[in-house]
Amino acid sequence: MSERLFHVRAARAGRTLAAVAVLCALPFYLDAFWLRIGLFSMAAAVGAVGLGLLSGTAGQLSLGHAFFLAVGAYGYVWLAGEPGPGLPTGVAAVLAVLLTGAAGGLFSPVAGRVRGIYLGVATLALVFLGHHVLLTADSVTGGFNGRSVPPLELGGLSFSADPALTVLGVPFGAEERLWYLGLGVFAITWFTARGLLRGRSGRALVALRDSETAAAVMGVDVSRHRSAAFVVSSVYAGLAGVLLALSFRRVVPDYFGLVLSVDYLAMIVIGGLGSVAGAAAGAVFVTALPLLMTRYADQLPLVAAPGAADGTVGPTEAARYLYGAAIVLILLFAPDGLHGLVRRLRTRTGGNRGAPPPASATSPTPSPASAARAKEPTP
């Protein structure tokens, strides 16, 4: 048994290393459009993991995730920019995340006492209040037109297109540099969230979701754990907001509305409630689908090009219809989402029997040294 377990763990480690190697090599091969999709997906995945911990694990419904994303994004822009304190961008990013956690802490007493649809309505008020503040506080947020995002600088490395940088013959612009930043942030999110779920606090949150009475009998402080889950979710949302701001390079109030909160709920439902991997998969699906449909709108049936005024369905609306249908199908046929569906398919195909060979042995990663080629210029 121990030898079989060793082989299974070795195979899992091999697959992980192969996936990391491929992800690190992608900026040498992908053009700016595909890197932007990856960046937006990684930022969304960070926020979706946080909402998954709150709604999927702790069982607390929140419609205010967009508010905390906005706090993180605008907090970074104001702290690092002018007008504003003009702090070093690395310090501003950390403070923006802490500021979002503090905002979650201020609301956490409500989250500790209210649950279900009542918490959803309470957090919904945060979205409308935040949107009003973003539109009216011109000196901080820039009003309706928003504000440009100062590029992040860490250790002398600027995550922007300037100064020019070439690695192994491939020009590294803002997307290529931010890709590795997004990977690092997502890796931190992945391991911290999985560690939380596997620890004592994670088991307590699952017990709360299943039965508050039983959890209280076992000694779980219901109010404190609810509040803590809300604060942790807010911190992840703030981190996602900073990464989104750096990826978009400009923040505007209309982006951080109710639709964004609903998108995040769709991510965790499609991916699978209570699963870190599922939240990430749902984030990629919901984020990438409208971008891909916009790019290939002229090749898709029943989908009009963006801006068409003839009453046809645009790519963004078509994407929402599709993942709305996906939610219905998931709820009917796979209530545990994409993550549970993949797990069942592996079981049925015998994927858990024996020790599969490491993916690194069968999927070699191409060497970046052979990747020198012309790339789509970054606008």
Side-chain angles (χ1 to χ4, degrees), residues 71-110:
V71 173
Y74 275 95
Y76 169 77
V77 171
W78 181 74
L79 289 168
E82 296 289 344
L87 298 175
T89 52
V91 175
V94 173
L95 291 179
V97 175
L98 295 177
L99 177 65
T100 313
L106 290 176
F107 194 81
S108 63
V110 177

Side-chain angles (χ1 to χ4, degrees), residues 244-287:
L244 278 173
L246 292 171
S247 302
F248 280 118
R249 302 180 200 169
R250 186 172 190 86
V251 289
V252 292
D254 284 348
Y255 178 74
F256 301 97
L258 177 60
V259 172
L260 184 61
S261 290
V262 174
D263 284 347
Y264 273 87
L265 284 175
M267 293 175 193
I268 63 173
V269 171
I270 292 173
L273 293 173
S275 166
V276 175
V284 173
F285 178 81
V286 173
T287 302

Side-chain angles (χ1 to χ4, degrees), residues 73-378:
Y74 275 95
Y76 169 77
V77 171
W78 181 74
L79 289 168
E82 296 289 344
L87 298 175
T89 52
V91 175
V94 173
L95 291 179
V97 175
L98 295 177
L99 177 65
T100 313
L106 290 176
F107 194 81
S108 63
V110 177
R113 291 172 173 80
V114 180
R115 66 165 300 173
I117 189 63
Y118 302 104
L119 179 61
V121 172
T123 53
L124 181 61
L126 288 177
V127 176
F128 294 121
L129 176 62
H131 189 260
H132 175 73
V133 172
L134 293 180
L135 289 174
T136 56
D138 294 356
S139 60
V140 176
T141 66
F144 179 80
N145 293 319
R147 288 184 60 171
S148 297
V149 179
L152 181 68
E153 294 185 11
L154 294 175
L157 175 63
S158 175
F159 290 88
S160 65
D162 296 318
L165 177 64
T166 302
V167 179
L168 299 176
V170 178
F172 261 47
E175 278 76 17
E176 287 81 0
R177 304 179 199 189
L178 285 170
W179 177 272
Y180 292 107
L181 176 67
L183 277 182
V185 170
F186 178 68
I188 293 172
T189 301
W190 178 279
F191 288 109
T192 55
R194 286 174 67 89
L196 177 64
L197 288 176
R198 292 174 177 177
R200 188 173 182 177
S201 298
R203 293 192 294 271
L205 292 178
V206 172
L208 275 179
R209 180 193 63 193
D210 294 339
S211 172
E212 286 187 9
T213 303
V217 170
M218 290 186 293
V220 176
D221 189 327
V222 174
S223 178
R224 183 169 66 87
H225 279 81
R226 277 184 184 173
S227 301
F230 197 88
V231 173
V232 171
S233 175
S234 303
V235 170
Y236 281 120
L239 189 59
V242 173
L243 191 55
L244 278 173
L246 292 171
S247 302
F248 280 118
R249 302 180 200 169
R250 186 172 190 86
V251 289
V252 292
D254 284 348
Y255 178 74
F256 301 97
L258 177 60
V259 172
L260 184 61
S261 290
V262 174
D263 284 347
Y264 273 87
L265 284 175
M267 293 175 193
I268 63 173
V269 171
I270 292 173
L273 293 173
S275 166
V276 175
V284 173
F285 178 81
V286 173
T287 302
L289 185 61
L291 297 175
L292 291 173
M293 296 192 71
T294 300
R295 180 169 177 124
Y296 298 106
D298 56 343
Q299 304 175 27
L300 296 173
L302 306 178
V303 178
D310 55 356
T312 53
V313 177
T316 302
E317 292 79 8
R320 295 191 187 281
Y321 294 152
L322 285 177
Y323 69 69
I327 291 176
V328 174
L329 293 175
I330 288 290
L331 293 176
L332 289 176
F333 302 107
D336 48 358
L338 295 177
H339 181 260
L341 183 62
V342 171
R343 186 173 62 246
R344 288 196 300 274
L345 288 175
R346 283 181 179 176
T347 302
R348 291 177 182 177
T349 57
N352 292 330
R353 290 179 294 187
S360 56
T362 59
S363 303
T365 303
S367 171
S370 62
R373 62 178 182 84
K375 297 185 65 175
E376 175 187 328
T378 301

Side-chain angles (χ1 to χ4, degrees), residues 14-119:
R15 290 192 296 268
T16 301
L17 290 176
V20 170
V22 170
L23 289 173
C24 289
L26 286 179
F28 291 92
Y29 297 90
L30 297 183
D31 291 322
F33 170 77
W34 300 103
L35 293 178
R36 289 190 202 106
I37 289 181
L39 278 172
F40 299 152
S41 298
M42 285 187 282
V46 173
V49 168
L51 184 60
L53 291 174
L54 178 63
S55 298
T57 305
Q60 290 284 77
L61 175 64
S62 173
L63 292 173
H65 216 53
F67 170 81
F68 297 103
L69 288 161
V71 173
Y74 275 95
Y76 169 77
V77 171
W78 181 74
L79 289 168
E82 296 289 344
L87 298 175
T89 52
V91 175
V94 173
L95 291 179
V97 175
L98 295 177
L99 177 65
T100 313
L106 290 176
F107 194 81
S108 63
V110 177
R113 291 172 173 80
V114 180
R115 66 165 300 173
I117 189 63
Y118 302 104
L119 179 61

